[in-house]
Amino acid sequence: MQNNVLILDFGSQYTQLIARRVRELNIYCEIHPFNKLPENLEEFKAVILSGSPFSVRAEDAPHPDLSKIRGKVPMLAVCYGAQYLAHFHGGKVEPSKTREYGRANLSVIKDKELLFDEITENSQVWMSHSDTIKELPENGVRLASTHDVLNAAYRIDGEETFAIQFHPEVYHSTDGKQLLENFLVKISGVEQEWTPEAFVDMTVEDLKKQIGNDKVVLGLSGGVDSTVAAVLLNKAIGDNLYCIFVNNGLLRKNEFESVLHQYKDMGLNVKGVDSSARFLDALQGISDPEEKRKTIGRVFIEVFDDEAHLLTDVKFLAQGTIYPDVIESISVNGPSATIKSHHNVGGLPDFMKLKVVEPLRMLFKDEVRRVGAEMGIDPELLGRHPFPGPGLAIRILGDITAEKVRILQEVDHVFIQGLKDWKLYDKVWQAGAILLPVSSVGVMGDERTYEKVVALRAVESTDGMTADWVNLPYDFLQKTSNTIINRVKGVNRVVYDISSKPPATIEWE
């Protein structure tokens, strides 16, 4: 990959956002932990240092060796990076006496500085730090200030080293993308060649070289990632790709049949395996969310392995792993504390001695969709909402039974179809229904009922890391509630979840 940009991660919650903004400029970049520098440093044309939750004054602060980078390639240090360069190279960093968090405006910008080309005074930026740079490092030249932050940006004289105490990657910094373009294109000379078309051509060639005439097996889920991975592989190796689509009994209503039909129309070599009973038997009596996930993962691997053994001479296992999964597994602090188990990274059991191929491992979710569109995949399939790997199991709170699955499938179908009929589906990032482990009293006709409660959930987001609940029209909610209660036997109350992430999560389990 030519024209790389290296992003050194110091543990900031915004590091992935930096990478996404760089990719939006059609520039390829990679994230690496600050303490694990890549061996091919000479291939990178520019380096960005991320922010960090640490203070540079703390004993346990990240302390990278930048001797192979600084002064050799252009470098942009963001927040922690800016303070690090100051603190350890002749400057002074102290606790800030005024709160430096949130929106601010650049009140002074030094004239004729390429980093701020086409950026005017009063441009809004986003601050997020408790320390501040009181004195610039040796050979430091101030470039910009805000009302409260004197040294909002600086450069090192005699080097292409720049530092800023605000976050250009967040949307609140209105000219943040322009600043990144100034640094990467105008200062560093990085070419803007990272496009979906270029990715497809390069990846197909790489897959041909990596796989040759060997056979590959891929587990399809019906989701965007595995589908795009399958089409890429199919372009590279054709009939040597064998796809397996497992019905775990926890898919949406009629999804197994409809997705299989869709795949056949795409020319993919797909075998459907209905293992509903096997999964439901294994889940019997299990209520703990993490145990449900692990059980589903274990049974899936067993089923997949059974099917893979029916194929001869298979050498590769393909996975739809995407870049956020990869970053999470090699993060600065090691893999993050388990919030939820991932299926895609490190999930191979010892008894499956297959080499792994992951054609999407360097793409973000929005890039996967653009690559899919480039290859002509149906927009309806590419626009499908994210759906959890364990399926409806984590939308049924408590233990799983066939009757509960039936109820939730019917409720979910009414909700999702309603969103489509009202032209709301594409305005929502993810939607679904949750079956609650409570019953409520109701009256239907002249009879008293005591039946299930369901919650509807619809959120808007760009990447799932944060999400806001969607203010769906009252008329739509009223009609959906009435339809569910009238059509779905076993439900007599519908509620709508108005929680954002954080503090809530998108899924309830």
Side-chain angles (χ1 to χ4, degrees), residues 200-201 204-205 207-208 228-239 241 268 371 374-376:
V200 171
D201 292 344
V204 168
E205 285 305 308
L207 289 171
K208 286 178 178 178
V228 173
V231 174
L232 264 174
L233 284 158
N234 191 51
K235 270 181 164 293
I237 62 171
D239 290 342
L241 173 65
L268 294 175
V371 166
E374 175 67 30
M375 296 189 295

Side-chain angles (χ1 to χ4, degrees), residues 317-336:
L317 170 69
Q319 292 187 302
T321 310
I322 62 176
Y323 200 32
D325 299 326
V326 176
I327 296 166
E328 179 76 7
S329 66
I330 58 165
S331 66
V332 170
N333 302 311
S336 296

Side-chain angles (χ1 to χ4, degrees), residues 10 55-64 66 70 80-93 133 135-138 154:
F10 292 87
S55 164
V56 294
R57 298 175 298 104
E59 288 185 11
D60 59 348
H63 204 317
L66 300 176
R70 187 175 166 184
Y80 178 89
Q83 294 177 358
Y84 177 84
L85 288 179
H87 185 66
F88 291 103
H89 297 89
K92 185 182 290 186
V93 174
I133 298 170
E135 295 179 15
L136 292 177
E138 187 177 347
Y154 67 90

Side-chain angles (χ1 to χ4, degrees), residues 6-205:
L6 171 63
I7 299 171
L8 288 185
D9 180 21
F10 292 87
S12 169
Q13 61 178 327
Y14 296 132
T15 302
Q16 287 193 36
L17 270 182
I18 299 175
R20 290 188 56 188
R21 295 294 167 265
V22 173
R23 298 274 183 95
E24 285 172 7
L25 294 168
N26 293 334
I27 292 173
Y28 179 74
C29 62
E30 294 178 8
I31 296 173
H32 288 263
F34 76 91
N35 53 0
K36 295 177 184 174
L37 293 180
E39 293 180 4
N40 59 333
L41 270 176
E42 68 283 352
E43 293 182 16
F44 294 93
K45 286 196 170 183
V47 176
I48 298 175
L49 308 184
S50 83
S52 175
F54 292 96
S55 164
V56 294
R57 298 175 298 104
E59 288 185 11
D60 59 348
H63 204 317
D65 177 8
L66 300 176
S67 60
K68 295 180 180 178
I69 299 171
R70 187 175 166 184
K72 297 179 175 63
V73 293
M75 183 167 69
L76 176 65
V78 177
C79 272
Y80 178 89
Q83 294 177 358
Y84 177 84
L85 288 179
H87 185 66
F88 291 103
H89 297 89
K92 185 182 290 186
V93 174
E94 295 179 354
S96 176
K97 293 177 182 177
T98 56
R99 184 172 177 266
E100 294 177 6
Y101 181 84
R103 292 173 178 85
N105 297 88
L106 298 176
S107 54
V108 179
I109 297 177
K110 193 172 186 294
D111 288 339
K112 298 180 181 177
E113 289 290 341
L114 209 47
L115 186 67
F116 287 92
D117 193 31
E118 298 185 50
I119 299 173
T120 59
E121 288 181 3
N122 208 41
S123 176
Q124 180 178 284
V125 295
W126 183 262
M127 298 285 186
S128 180
H129 50 88
S130 56
D131 290 344
T132 195
I133 298 170
K134 290 295 185 183
E135 295 179 15
L136 292 177
E138 187 177 347
N139 297 324
V141 178
R142 185 181 304 118
L143 301 184
S145 305
T146 69
H147 178 70
D148 293 317
V149 182
L150 180 63
N151 297 307
Y154 67 90
R155 62 175 169 82
I156 305 296
D157 206 18
E159 301 177 16
E160 289 185 315
T161 298
F162 300 83
I164 53 178
Q165 283 204 91
F166 55 87
H167 288 275
E169 69 274 18
V170 303
Y171 285 115
H172 305 297
S173 292
T174 50
D175 292 311
K177 189 173 179 180
Q178 181 66 54
L179 186 143
L180 289 171
E181 183 174 355
N182 289 343
F183 171 69
L184 294 171
V185 179
K186 297 176 182 178
I187 294 171
S188 307
V190 181
E191 294 175 26
Q192 295 171 278
E193 298 178 333
W194 174 250
T195 63
E197 181 183 10
F199 175 82
V200 171
D201 292 344
M202 178 192 70
T203 303
V204 168
E205 285 305 308

Side-chain angles (χ1 to χ4, degrees), residues 30 38 46 62 64 68-69 79-80 117 141 143 245 248 263 272 279 304 315 372 413 416 437 450 457 464 485 498 506:
E30 294 178 8
K68 295 180 180 178
I69 299 171
C79 272
Y80 178 89
D117 193 31
V141 178
L143 301 184
F245 181 36
N248 59 11
Y263 281 144
F279 279 88
F304 192 82
K315 297 289 171 58
H413 180 71
I416 299 300
Y450 190 61
R457 179 88 158 128
I485 291 170
I498 58 169
I506 296 174

